[in-house]
Amino acid sequence: MVDVAEKEMDNPTFRSDTVLSDVHLHCPNKRHLMVRLNAVGQPVFLSYFKFLWNTEDLASEKHVREVTTGEHQNRSGDELCDKDRSNQKKEREINSGVEALLDDDGDLEVVRRRQSASDLEAEDLLRDIVCPVILMKGREDAFEDEEQECTCSDVVKIEHTMATPLEDVGKQVWRAAFLLADYVLFQRDTFRCCSVLELGGGTGITSIIMGTVAKRVYCTDVGEDLLAMCEQNVALNKHLMEPGGGEVKVKELDWLKDKFCSDPEVPYSWSEEEIADLHDHCSVIMAADVFYDDDLTDALFRTLYRITHNLRNSCTVYLALEKRLNFTLRHMDVTCEAYSHFRNNLNDLENLQDREIKYTVEPIKVDFCQFLIYERIEQL
């Protein structure tokens, strides 16, 4: 175990190239438990992401019918979503204090934390500071109560890092992964018994949720350390996939290369049988929050074209992302250049003149029900 001074953890400092996902700040955990250091010396944390209802109910055919067919036909979608939003609101109030306040102009009023002991106990604070807690010798019992509160069937357990260089952002958890997971759970019948490929799977949370519905999921990314973390997360949540008989296979897929890695000496490589299975049966491809670098975006669309061109059957690609707005000196304005580049590639793909294959693009309204606890913001 690692002994780190508490003052250091309360005042973390990051390098200029450090990227931090704020998903962890809204995580319902009271603590983030550091479980190990990865191969490159980064702290790895274990977080519990709670479902808005029990997954045992989701696994039952009766409940599936209520959610995906008859119940939605007899009741408006807004009514069901309002119920889930109400549950989410209660959860937020319990864990995060009162809702954020806006001033007369609609700007966010930042609630400043006071430092006196009496003020720290005040009920009107926005939320507690969320900092990593390093488990030290003799303190194992401190986390027993928290773990008991999270039963195996109502949470997905994910190992992840918190602050990384840009090249390691796949080791963190991002909002668009939750959004795509929500859509999978909302459209369970659409994905039932499918063969699925995820590009840039990262920690694997979306593939794990898909694995509760689909027959087989190939969760792909690059980097042995990241893929090992992803494989560990699949193992941690295997019990969620067992009732439906789904499986998740963690594989390497480098968008900068033209072929699948099939060298048996390379960890997470593909067998010839797996490549054939993908080409013969894959009908769904998905990717979440992978559009942050123009070169990688170009490479992803080339990979999409190459793979879909070799599929035996037609395929639907689901892409989820968060628009990240930044002020740039070049434009002297708030822009979202990564999203603009993504849209240009998408338009090029739709307008591609290819006699063998045709692509159509359709946006999905983000008004479906929320099944996981996270902050669904307008930029998703």
Side-chain angles (χ1 to χ4, degrees), residues 324-337:
R324 291 181 174 84
L325 304 174
N326 297 289
F327 180 86
T328 62
L329 293 176
R330 184 159 63 94
H331 295 91
M332 293 302 293
D333 196 1
V334 175
T335 62
C336 189
E337 293 184 295

Side-chain angles (χ1 to χ4, degrees), residues 224 251-252 260-275:
E224 185 176 346
K251 297 293 176 181
E252 177 183 310
F260 293 95
C261 177
S262 57
D263 184 351
E265 300 297 322
V266 177
Y268 306 104
S269 63
W270 297 71
S271 67
E272 295 297 333
E273 292 78 10
E274 289 168 337
I275 296 175

Side-chain angles (χ1 to χ4, degrees), residues 78-340:
D78 289 341
E79 181 182 350
L80 183 61
C81 289
D82 287 344
K83 179 180 178 181
D84 293 329
R85 292 190 186 105
S86 176
N87 291 337
Q88 181 196 7
K89 183 178 179 182
K90 291 178 182 178
E91 190 73 30
R92 285 179 178 172
E93 289 176 351
I94 292 173
N95 295 292
S96 302
V98 299
E99 298 292 329
L101 302 177
L102 301 178
D103 61 17
D104 295 337
D105 297 328
D107 298 322
L108 179 67
E109 284 190 355
V110 179
V111 180
R112 302 295 181 183
R113 172 175 283 275
R114 303 183 184 93
Q115 296 302 314
S116 66
S118 59
D119 289 333
L120 288 174
E121 297 174 357
E123 295 180 355
D124 60 344
L125 291 175
L126 182 61
R127 66 183 179 216
D128 290 333
I129 294 176
V130 179
C131 287
V133 173
I134 307 302
L135 181 63
M136 292 173 287
K137 186 175 181 180
R139 294 191 59 192
E140 290 86 346
D141 295 340
F143 298 92
E144 288 183 357
D145 293 340
E146 182 176 340
E147 292 179 358
Q148 289 174 359
E149 292 175 1
C150 300
T151 62
C152 292
S153 59
D154 63 0
V155 297
V156 55
K157 293 182 285 187
I158 296 294
E159 288 192 2
H160 60 88
T161 57
M162 280 197 177
T164 66
L166 186 62
E167 61 268 21
D168 282 338
V169 291
K171 296 176 182 178
Q172 299 187 53
V173 184
W174 301 91
R175 282 195 192 95
F178 287 99
L179 182 73
L180 188 52
D182 270 346
Y183 187 75
V184 170
L185 292 174
F186 181 66
Q187 297 283 359
R188 292 175 67 86
D189 282 349
T190 300
F191 303 107
R192 193 173 301 281
C193 299
C194 287
S195 183
V196 181
L197 170 68
E198 181 174 14
L199 301 175
T203 61
I205 187 169
T206 309
S207 283
I208 290 168
I209 299 301
M210 179 65 85
T212 66
V213 182
K215 178 181 179 181
R216 182 174 295 110
V217 182
Y218 291 100
C219 181
T220 68
D221 217 308
V222 292
E224 185 176 346
D225 193 48
L226 173 58
L227 293 172
M229 176 188 290
C230 182
E231 189 172 54
Q232 170 67 6
N233 287 331
V234 172
L236 285 173
N237 297 280
K238 189 175 181 180
H239 60 282
L240 298 177
M241 297 172 277
E242 286 176 343
E247 68 170 336
V248 177
K249 293 190 172 185
V250 179
K251 297 293 176 181
E252 177 183 310
L253 202 162
D254 191 339
W255 306 340
L256 300 177
K257 297 180 180 178
D258 294 332
K259 296 182 179 180
F260 293 95
C261 177
S262 57
D263 184 351
E265 300 297 322
V266 177
Y268 306 104
S269 63
W270 297 71
S271 67
E272 295 297 333
E273 292 78 10
E274 289 168 337
I275 296 175
D277 175 67
L278 179 73
H279 287 157
D280 291 343
H281 300 108
C282 179
S283 59
V284 174
I285 298 177
M286 61 181 183
D289 249 332
V290 295
F291 305 104
Y292 57 90
D293 177 89
D294 289 354
D295 292 337
L296 289 178
T297 296
D298 294 340
L300 172 65
F301 275 92
R302 288 195 299 269
T303 300
L304 270 178
Y305 175 79
R306 173 173 59 85
I307 292 177
T308 53
H309 201 271
N310 291 321
L311 296 181
R312 174 174 294 184
N313 303 308
S314 60
C315 177
T316 305
V317 183
Y318 296 90
L319 305 175
L321 70 157
E322 178 180 342
K323 299 179 185 178
R324 291 181 174 84
L325 304 174
N326 297 289
F327 180 86
T328 62
L329 293 176
R330 184 159 63 94
H331 295 91
M332 293 302 293
D333 196 1
V334 175
T335 62
C336 189
E337 293 184 295
Y339 177 75
S340 299

Side-chain angles (χ1 to χ4, degrees), residues 340-357:
S340 299
H341 191 78
F342 157 75
R343 290 294 310 186
N344 291 335
N345 273 274
L346 199 61
N347 292 335
D348 291 343
L349 190 67
E350 189 175 23
N351 297 327
L352 182 67
Q353 300 296 323
D354 191 325
R355 295 181 180 180
E356 297 182 10
I357 191 168

